[in-house]
Amino acid sequence: MHELSIAIDIVDIATREAAKENATKINKVDIEVGTLSGVVIEALETAMTEAIRDTMLEGSHISIHEIPAMARCKVCRHEFKIDDWLALCPECGSPENEVIQGRELRLKTLEVT
Amino acid sequence: MCGTCGCSDQEGGVTIRRPGDPDHIHHHQHSDGGHDHGSHSHGHGSHSHGHGSHSHNHGSHSHGHDHHHDEGQPAGHTHHDAGREIRVEQDILSRNNLLAERNRGYLEAKNITGLNFVSSPGAGKTTLLELTIRTLKADLDFYVIEGDQQSMNDADRIDATGVPVIQINTGSGCHLDASMVNRGLRQLDPASGSILLIENVGNLVCPALFDLGEHRTIVIISVTEGDDKPVKYPTIFRNADICIVNKIDLLPYVSFDVAKTREYAQRINPHLQFFETSATTGEGMEEWYEWLKAERTNSRS
């Protein structure tokens, strides 16, 4: 359950950034999680409900956006959606590709008052 | 905050000890202690107040924007405005990554080679380290950080080989992170020019996300596991530099296909370098020792 460690880091970053802006309350948090990030969104949601207790984020709306993973074929440069690290290029069949999207684990925006 | 339960314990239930240190019991009751996580419920999931649409309903006290909130504030002061947006755009793992880079810098400044050993429980990490240390300790200077949820067992085994070791107990935590290793390094104080062996908590999932500041990540898989482990736990194989297939002395008794494992793992990570060993019989260990010695020599230059 590394998701709780991740959730605690989210709360820390959010609290610090909100304090910089002299905010007293965080109302909404936008998070991006790539499908190859190694984080399970359902587990992160559960962890967030615990991590935000007694913090500026208590009662805030936690919005988690899933980012689909994309790869670029190293042979034909075709870009395609992938579900795992073993995907083959649908155009030329090559297993050689680089993941260009889907490893995100990012705190995007906060809405504060 | 505690990474296990989210309570306010700063150390997160983590203890760091040397073999022989007095017991340091972390009083941290997760079930029947002062804070009961089980019965606690407040529905954050279903909670919604539409900030975007400015409906602005703060639970029981709802106030419109035209209310008179005259408590000596200047005219026109909008008390609860609709909410400002802050663009953070920050990698959530950045704090761990930053601390990992500090650890890496510390190791490099002291010319120490840091290796992070990850595997599922029971793949033979400790046995492999024991044999490696006993065989090479005359030539190489070893320091060891042991990571486990509970117990001093692994640290005691390493202690018996005669090299300095500390045990990090993560409590219910499922991985080591850069902060734990940072604290561990301060206590261990490894000598310049040594090799730091970090044995992570037995787990193929969580340690994959947490850079510790090591130079190489070594994933160990034993032949008593499924040969499709790389496909099932791709993140850790993707991030590793070395893959050691251990317990090869048991190959005649199991249906593990080493070639298939290699093929799976190399499709996930084409740069992965393989060793096939038995830390019990010593078979295949010579190649691993040669790599380790070369790694140490290379970092000297």
Side-chain angles (χ1 to χ4, degrees):
Chain A
M1 248 301 271
H2 53 292
E3 280 80 3
L4 188 52
S5 313
I6 303 282
I8 291 166
D9 280 346
I10 292 171
V11 170
D12 284 351
I13 296 169
T15 309
R16 205 168 49 229
E17 293 299 318
K20 275 191 212 164
E21 300 283 330
N22 296 319
T24 53
K25 177 87 187 78
I26 298 170
N27 301 316
K28 185 165 183 277
V29 184
D30 278 302
I31 302 161
E32 280 184 354
V33 175
T35 53
L36 293 182
S37 68
V39 165
V40 178
I41 289 183
E42 291 73 19
L44 182 60
E45 280 170 347
T46 306
M48 283 303 289
T49 63
E50 282 299 319
I52 64 177
R53 265 196 303 138
D54 301 326
T55 72
M56 259 182 169
L57 285 84
E58 177 134 32
S60 63
H61 177 61
I62 310 294
S63 173
I64 302 178
H65 311 276
E66 186 177 81
I67 308 291
M70 298 283 294
R72 184 186 296 123
C73 176
K74 285 187 177 172
V75 177
C76 72
R77 313 301 292 168
H78 178 64
E79 291 181 10
F80 54 102
K81 189 172 170 296
I82 55 169
D83 297 321
D84 56 49
W85 298 105
L86 293 170
L88 303 176
C89 175
E91 290 292 316
C92 73
S94 167
E96 294 276 312
N97 59 63
E98 56 176 330
V99 174
I100 55 174
Q101 178 184 294
R103 304 192 76 172
E104 295 79 2
L105 203 49
R106 182 163 281 273
L107 177 51
K108 292 287 286 181
T109 56
L110 300 173
E111 196 183 286
V112 301
T113 45
Chain B
M1 187 193 277
C2 167
T4 300
C5 70
C7 76
S8 59
D9 189 312
Q10 286 302 317
E11 304 295 331
V14 175
T15 56
I16 302 181
R17 276 187 289 162
R18 288 171 189 272
D21 280 356
D23 270 10
H24 176 89
I25 305 297
H26 180 77
H27 295 288
H28 194 83
Q29 292 173 307
H30 284 274
S31 51
D32 54 358
H35 50 242
D36 186 346
H37 296 293
S39 64
H40 162 93
S41 72
H42 47 204
H44 291 293
S46 60
H47 171 99
S48 69
H49 46 212
H51 294 285
S53 59
H54 290 241
S55 62
H56 216 77
N57 205 335
H58 286 270
S60 60
H61 102 252
S62 67
H63 47 215
H65 284 271
D66 57 347
H67 75 149
H68 299 287
H69 196 86
D70 194 358
E71 289 167 21
Q73 287 150 340
H77 175 85
T78 50
H79 185 54
H80 283 273
D81 63 349
R84 291 169 283 142
E85 191 181 80
I86 304 175
R87 296 197 69 78
V88 180
E89 298 287 350
Q90 207 176 111
D91 185 338
I92 292 159
L93 290 170
S94 57
R95 191 177 60 166
N96 185 75
N97 293 343
L98 212 61
L99 205 46
E101 284 307 328
R102 278 178 55 189
N103 292 347
R104 197 169 282 117
Y106 168 86
L107 295 176
E108 281 169 9
K110 296 187 80 171
N111 186 24
I112 297 167
T113 304
L115 306 175
N116 177 16
F117 292 80
V118 292
S119 80
S120 44
K125 290 190 294 301
T126 314
T127 308
L128 188 104
L129 295 192
E130 284 177 305
L131 183 61
T132 303
I133 292 166
R134 287 187 202 279
T135 310
L136 297 181
K137 70 175 180 179
D139 305 318
L140 299 170
D141 201 7
F142 290 106
Y143 287 78
V144 182
I145 293 178
E146 280 291 336
D148 279 298
Q149 289 197 323
Q150 304 284 341
S151 98
M152 293 293 288
N153 292 359
D154 285 359
D156 288 342
R157 285 170 61 184
I158 299 296
D159 189 48
T161 69
V163 304
V165 56
I166 56 144
Q167 177 80 49
I168 299 178
N169 284 141
T170 58
S172 303
C174 49
H175 58 270
L176 293 178
D177 66 25
S179 143
M180 296 176 201
V181 170
N182 188 278
R183 286 165 53 203
L185 278 172
R186 287 163 198 263
Q187 282 198 32
L188 189 62
D189 192 20
S192 295
S194 60
I195 297 185
L196 174 70
L197 307 171
I198 304 168
E199 184 180 333
N200 216 313
V201 179
N203 180 344
L204 279 178
V205 184
C206 312
L209 268 68
F210 295 86
D211 184 4
L212 305 179
E214 74 271 24
H215 297 103
R216 306 279 186 194
T217 305
I218 296 158
V219 60
I220 301 175
I221 169 175
S222 64
V223 303
T224 52
E225 304 170 44
D227 48 23
D228 57 352
K229 271 277 160 77
V231 185
K232 289 182 172 169
Y233 301 94
T235 313
I236 208 138
F237 284 87
R238 180 80 177 190
N239 295 344
D241 303 286
I242 305 289
C243 177
I244 297 179
V245 180
N246 194 30
K247 305 191 188 179
I248 55 166
D249 54 310
L250 299 179
L251 275 173
Y253 313 105
V254 293
S255 60
F256 190 95
D257 184 341
V258 179
K260 206 155 98 186
T261 299
R262 279 184 177 240
E263 188 201 320
Y264 282 139
Q266 277 177 329
R267 273 182 62 191
I268 290 160
N269 179 356
H271 308 292
L272 205 56
Q273 192 179 344
F274 282 87
F275 296 96
E276 293 170 25
T277 63
S278 165
T280 309
T281 65
E283 191 182 346
M285 291 293 284
E286 218 37 66
E287 289 85 354
W288 157 245
Y289 297 151
E290 288 310 312
W291 179 85
L292 198 56
K293 286 189 236 174
E295 188 70 8
R296 190 57 223 130
T297 311
N298 293 341
S299 66
R300 233 175 247 135
S301 56

